Amino acid sequence: MEKAAKPRGRLCTLCNEKRAALKRPKTLEQICRECFYAVFEDEIHKVIVDNQLFKPGERIAIGASGGKDSTVLAYVMSELNRRHNYGLDLFLLSVDEGITGYRDDSLETVKRNELQYGLPLKVVSYSELYGWTMDEIVKLIGLKNNCTFCGVFRRQVDKLVTGHNADDIAETVLLNILRGDIARLSRCTSIITGEDGPIPRCKPFKYTYEKEIVMYAYFKKLDYFSTECIYSPNAYRGFAREFIKDLERIRPRAILDIIKSGEDFRISTSTKMPEQGNCERCGYISSQKWCKACVLLEGLNRGLPKLGIGRSRDLDNKRNTNMRQANGTQNLQSKQCGSLDF
């Protein structure tokens, strides 16, 4: 009886049976698809278990943008929840920023994911929450500082589970160093943030490389939207992203090393840190009297779109000057400041 022919090419370094289909960016191991699926999912499961991200019976919102990260997150969370019996009530949460030709198209992908993964979908919009769309904001503010609004407003619409990956977190560490933002640098590597707020946010992909997420989506033939936001090329973060990619080409481990540096960062006891409190207008967590979202909204509603853009030490002076002119200004409703009930 003839023996089965061995597969041609280099064998998988893990199972030593099937032909290697890819080289893992994180470890440089050459492995087959099946082993890649297994190690990819097992690593995320380990992160979830080791960090006790969830408790049985919790209702978990998965931040769904239609992009590769959130699509893979939704698929993997659904699989792990079933396989390991997490006992979670999962649903998709999408934010419609109001970007014509980008978000409206990506939301169609999310709606397909709703059917593909059998997960309920809830969509909230900037227009409903704040009375402004990103397209309207860009017309006022221009392309240079538009990402300030988008970033702040999206943080206000808290999502319990997000697709932030290792590359994203490494970029954030570098950005906070470049900006000299000690307060954010001390907490930007936390796998759970917003614990003092109404809905904590978790990052199961904290140690997962972006390239591996792309590979997983490609091999699994997942349905995702790949077009970049039309306003993001002007974002300051892009410079940090390019630097990270250059480092990764030289030394793949650099991404995890940057995250480790952020985790081990220690603040001198003599450094004065901002005190955490609550926004006087909407009640959201803030180290100032008004949170950033309320300041930005006030600027938009007062015809002063650049109010709140810049360094925080200049913010109070600008705000106080303009607030003295705001006699009779109608208070913003708490719903406009991002309070959501699920």
Side-chain angles (χ1 to χ4, degrees):
M1 186 174 181
E2 295 182 0
K3 294 182 179 179
K6 289 186 177 181
R8 295 180 180 180
R10 189 183 296 272
L11 293 178
C12 172
T13 57
L14 296 182
C15 69
N16 200 35
E17 294 178 358
K18 298 180 180 178
R19 185 170 65 86
L22 69 145
K23 180 187 286 187
R24 287 196 73 189
K26 183 189 292 187
T27 64
L28 301 182
E29 295 174 305
Q30 297 195 41
I31 58 178
C32 65
R33 292 189 186 189
E34 288 71 19
C35 285
F36 172 60
Y37 298 153
V39 296
F40 183 91
E41 294 165 2
D42 287 347
E43 286 178 3
I44 295 168
H45 171 63
K46 187 174 187 302
V47 168
I48 290 172
V49 172
D50 289 352
N51 293 276
Q52 299 180 336
L53 297 187
F54 312 115
K55 296 178 181 178
E58 286 184 328
R59 190 162 187 249
I60 307 298
I62 302 174
S65 67
K68 62 183 185 313
D69 298 318
S70 65
T71 299
V72 173
L73 178 66
Y75 178 85
V76 172
M77 283 296 301
S78 181
E79 285 292 306
L80 295 180
N81 186 44
R82 176 187 54 79
R83 184 184 307 162
H84 297 287
N85 196 26
Y86 291 163
L88 304 177
D89 179 11
L90 302 175
F91 72 99
L92 303 175
L93 173 63
S94 287
V95 179
D96 182 2
E97 303 95 337
I99 304 175
T100 304
Y102 170 68
R103 182 55 72 213
D104 46 359
D105 289 342
S106 67
L107 282 175
E108 293 303 314
T109 303
V110 177
K111 291 174 183 177
R112 293 196 298 271
N113 292 159
E114 176 186 14
L115 299 175
Q116 292 161 351
Y117 308 145
L119 298 175
L121 169 64
K122 181 178 180 63
V123 180
V124 294
S125 71
Y126 278 13
S127 179
E128 294 172 352
L129 293 171
Y130 307 115
W132 292 83
T133 67
M134 274 306 298
D135 285 344
E136 292 169 342
I137 291 171
V138 170
K139 286 181 181 178
L140 284 178
I141 199 69
L143 292 173
K144 185 176 180 181
N145 296 301
N146 67 85
C147 285
T148 297
F149 287 86
C150 196
V152 171
F153 287 175
R154 287 179 68 88
R155 282 198 297 271
Q156 286 290 89
V157 185
D158 287 328
K159 300 177 288 291
L160 195 55
V161 183
T162 66
H164 291 101
N165 57 51
D167 301 56
D168 296 327
I169 296 173
E171 289 166 14
T172 304
V173 172
L174 287 181
L175 278 175
N176 288 327
I177 291 174
L178 294 173
R179 290 169 173 161
D181 195 332
I182 303 300
R184 285 194 175 92
L185 182 58
S186 66
R187 62 177 184 266
C188 68
T189 58
S190 299
I191 196 166
I192 302 177
T193 57
E195 292 178 278
D196 296 330
I199 306 177
R201 287 163 286 172
C202 307
K203 308 185 209 41
F205 285 175
K206 178 181 176 180
Y207 302 109
T208 306
Y209 278 31
E210 182 179 39
K211 285 182 179 178
E212 297 200 349
I213 292 174
V214 173
M215 290 177 176
Y216 187 90
Y218 173 75
F219 286 130
K220 285 281 189 178
K221 294 181 171 55
L222 300 184
D223 183 5
Y224 67 92
F225 184 75
S226 58
T227 301
E228 186 180 24
C229 173
I230 59 177
Y231 301 135
S232 67
N234 300 280
Y236 185 44
R237 176 177 285 271
F239 296 102
R241 181 177 296 116
E242 290 302 315
F243 182 59
I244 291 289
K245 298 305 180 188
D246 290 340
L247 287 177
E248 185 185 8
R249 280 191 286 270
I250 299 170
R251 186 168 183 268
R253 178 79 192 179
I255 291 175
L256 293 180
D257 289 341
I258 292 173
I259 295 175
K260 183 68 165 59
S261 297
E263 290 174 336
D264 293 342
F265 181 80
R266 296 293 180 269
I267 301 173
S268 170
T269 54
S270 61
T271 301
K272 185 177 180 180
M273 298 293 288
E275 295 182 5
Q276 196 79 299
N278 295 96
C279 174
E280 291 181 352
R281 294 198 94 170
C282 70
Y284 192 78
I285 298 171
S286 176
S287 58
Q288 305 293 330
K289 289 185 178 181
W290 284 17
C291 69
K292 189 78 167 179
C294 281
V295 174
L296 293 175
L297 277 172
E298 180 66 18
L300 290 172
N301 293 329
R302 289 282 300 156
L304 301 167
K306 293 190 177 181
L307 179 69
I309 294 179
R311 297 187 63 84
S312 58
R313 65 168 174 259
D314 300 325
L315 190 56
D316 285 337
N317 292 333
K318 290 181 181 179
R319 188 187 66 206
N320 291 336
T321 298
N322 288 287
M323 290 309 101
R324 285 195 294 268
Q325 303 171 3
N327 294 331
T329 299
Q330 184 178 1
N331 287 336
L332 301 173
Q333 296 179 359
S334 61
K335 182 180 178 183
Q336 288 181 297
C337 299
S339 299
L340 295 177
D341 294 319
F342 296 115

